[in-house]
Amino acid sequence: MEICKAGFVAFGVGMCLTALIGCGGGSQSSAGNSAASTSISTSVSNSPSTATFLSFNGGQTPVLSYRGTNLSGGEFGDVSGIYGYNYIYPNQSEVDYFINKRMNVVRLPFLWERLQSSIGTALNETEMARIDAFVAQTAAKGVFVILDPHNYAYYRGQMIDSSNVPNSAFADFWGRLASRYLGNPHVIFGLMNEPIGPTAVQWAASANAAVAAIRASGATNLILVPGTWWTGAHSWIDSGNSVAMLAINDPINNFVFEVHQYLDSDSSGTQANCVSSTIGSERVQAFTNWLRANGRKGFLGEFAGANNDICKQAVDNLLTDMENNSDVWAGWTWWSAGPWWGNYMFSIEPLNGVDQPLMSVLANHL
């Protein structure tokens, strides 16, 4: 779902962008991107120390390693927006609220252009200081932070793997960012939010360039690798991701595939109604089977449901299914929370100190 700040324009189903840069959940409609046959490699996710696990259902061992939420705000507004007026980063009181709910990971969206104003140049220290502070304070509490350039595979309106934004530019950005956090095991690198535009084969090449740059920096952090076409779980096969993404090459095999999945009629996350109480498990089934068949692991970076009985059942069904397939699922982050959502139908940000209704459903899986 897209809740747009001033200055955003529509682009595609369920997306809002300024020069093709987004502010929220995104659509997952399927499409047939081209894909080439590739060799199969194996991958494994890192396993956080049990000391980093928060309590789970009264102290039991967690079924999935990572359980948390997106904390939106850093991806809002035009890239020239003013901090604190057009965009904002979450504060530690929000982190503490979700820690108290037994969550142990937050996904932090931001815009690439704010961190690197021109491709190939040094990172913006003013902007990085804000993210550095959030990461340091959050990681010190044992919570994992997923760094999420929320750009849909675009930089200043130009698609990655184009003449103006070659894969080398994307790799340069990630090499610089990885160098900054390579000593912090609580930082996870989410390569890109919901790529849309590149074919699966194109995107696999872009992702591989970024992975190579991250490892060349010396960073061993876990990497989340999305597919193209909004990285929808339900469209993983039809999009070409199921073939092309087997070409992802991480020399230390510390990566998982990130997918998103919404529960409304077109998987866009733009409607309050969910299709059925079992639509969650149904839409991820093919992806789950693909993970197991190919020795991979997955992470659900975005999913949501509105405050109605069918959606509550559908969210519970989805998370239960993931737990039942925990051999291939590493975890999840809800879409979304953050200080500026207000009455957004999917927000689990507490209002005036009161829990949002869907938090009670998530609590059964924390």
Side-chain angles (χ1 to χ4, degrees), residues 8-75:
F8 280 80
V9 295
F11 176 75
V13 178
M15 296 179 67
C16 65
L17 308 176
T18 294
L20 309 186
I21 296 162
C23 70
S27 171
Q28 319 284 320
S29 301
S30 64
N33 290 344
S34 61
S37 299
T38 59
S39 60
I40 295 177
S41 62
T42 60
S43 65
V44 294
S45 72
N46 67 338
S47 298
S49 162
T50 54
T52 66
F53 285 148
L54 307 180
S55 62
F56 170 77
N57 288 346
Q60 300 177 36
T61 302
V63 176
L64 299 175
S65 297
Y66 306 101
R67 308 159 320 278
T69 188
N70 286 259
L71 283 180
S72 289
E75 78 279 30

Side-chain angles (χ1 to χ4, degrees), residues 114-186:
R114 289 193 176 124
L115 272 61
Q116 191 178 39
S117 57
S118 299
I119 59 174
T121 61
L123 301 180
N124 183 308
E125 287 301 321
T126 299
E127 196 70 16
M128 288 309 307
R130 297 173 179 133
I131 293 179
D132 287 348
F134 178 83
V135 168
Q137 294 167 17
T138 303
K141 298 171 181 177
V143 174
F144 294 86
V145 178
I146 300 168
L147 298 178
D148 165 43
H150 215 77
N151 282 70
Y152 302 91
Y154 289 82
Y155 179 90
R156 298 196 182 278
Q158 301 295 312
M159 193 179 77
I160 296 172
D161 195 29
S162 65
S163 58
N164 292 325
V165 188
N167 287 339
S168 58
F170 187 46
D172 173 82
F173 168 71
W174 266 113
R176 293 175 189 272
L177 199 60
S179 295
R180 201 166 189 111
Y181 297 111
L182 60 83
N184 192 333
H186 281 85

Side-chain angles (χ1 to χ4, degrees), residues 56-57 63-64 67 316 318-327 329 332 362 364-366:
F56 170 77
N57 288 346
V63 176
L64 299 175
R67 308 159 320 278
D316 183 68
L318 172 60
L319 294 180
T320 298
D321 184 76
M322 291 173 64
E323 291 161 0
N324 290 339
N325 292 280
S326 60
D327 59 313
W329 282 102
W332 49 266
L362 299 180
N364 294 326
H365 301 274
L366 295 170

Side-chain angles (χ1 to χ4, degrees), residues 41-311:
S41 62
T42 60
S43 65
V44 294
S45 72
N46 67 338
S47 298
S49 162
T50 54
T52 66
F53 285 148
L54 307 180
S55 62
F56 170 77
N57 288 346
Q60 300 177 36
T61 302
V63 176
L64 299 175
S65 297
Y66 306 101
R67 308 159 320 278
T69 188
N70 286 259
L71 283 180
S72 289
E75 78 279 30
F76 286 171
D78 188 282
V79 295
S80 61
I82 300 170
Y83 183 73
Y85 180 78
N86 302 106
Y87 72 104
I88 193 75
Y89 292 113
N91 59 50
Q92 287 302 302
S93 65
E94 291 174 296
V95 173
D96 292 342
Y97 169 82
F98 291 109
I99 287 176
N100 289 335
K101 296 299 182 183
R102 301 186 299 274
M103 290 185 176
N104 71 347
V105 61
V106 296
R107 184 172 180 250
L108 184 70
F110 54 80
L111 295 184
W112 174 3
E113 296 87 348
R114 289 193 176 124
L115 272 61
Q116 191 178 39
S117 57
S118 299
I119 59 174
T121 61
L123 301 180
N124 183 308
E125 287 301 321
T126 299
E127 196 70 16
M128 288 309 307
R130 297 173 179 133
I131 293 179
D132 287 348
F134 178 83
V135 168
Q137 294 167 17
T138 303
K141 298 171 181 177
V143 174
F144 294 86
V145 178
I146 300 168
L147 298 178
D148 165 43
H150 215 77
N151 282 70
Y152 302 91
Y154 289 82
Y155 179 90
R156 298 196 182 278
Q158 301 295 312
M159 193 179 77
I160 296 172
D161 195 29
S162 65
S163 58
N164 292 325
V165 188
N167 287 339
S168 58
F170 187 46
D172 173 82
F173 168 71
W174 266 113
R176 293 175 189 272
L177 199 60
S179 295
R180 201 166 189 111
Y181 297 111
L182 60 83
N184 192 333
H186 281 85
V187 176
I188 299 170
F189 301 146
L191 292 185
M192 178 57 61
N193 179 70
E194 297 184 352
I196 178 63
T199 67
V201 171
Q202 281 179 298
W203 175 248
S206 301
N208 269 333
V211 170
I214 289 170
R215 297 310 182 213
S217 77
T220 59
N221 307 55
L222 177 64
I223 300 173
L224 305 186
V225 180
T228 192
W229 208 251
W230 291 289
T231 198
H234 73 284
S235 59
W236 192 257
I237 308 301
D238 292 342
S239 64
N241 287 326
S242 62
V243 176
M245 299 311 288
L246 291 175
I248 296 301
N249 178 31
D250 178 5
I252 66 171
N253 283 331
N254 191 26
F255 73 98
V256 301
F257 288 106
E258 179 186 346
V259 293
H260 296 177
Q261 188 59 59
Y262 290 93
L263 309 175
D264 50 359
S265 61
D266 60 358
S267 293
S268 67
T270 60
Q271 305 163 70
N273 293 327
C274 297
V275 173
S276 72
S277 62
T278 59
I279 191 62
S281 60
E282 292 166 12
R283 283 187 173 161
V284 301
Q285 182 177 359
F287 179 68
T288 298
N289 293 343
W290 180 87
L291 291 171
R292 186 171 292 115
N294 291 284
R296 306 304 205 273
K297 279 202 169 188
F299 182 89
L300 188 61
E302 291 184 17
F303 68 105
N307 182 23
N308 58 69
D309 288 343
I310 295 299
C311 282

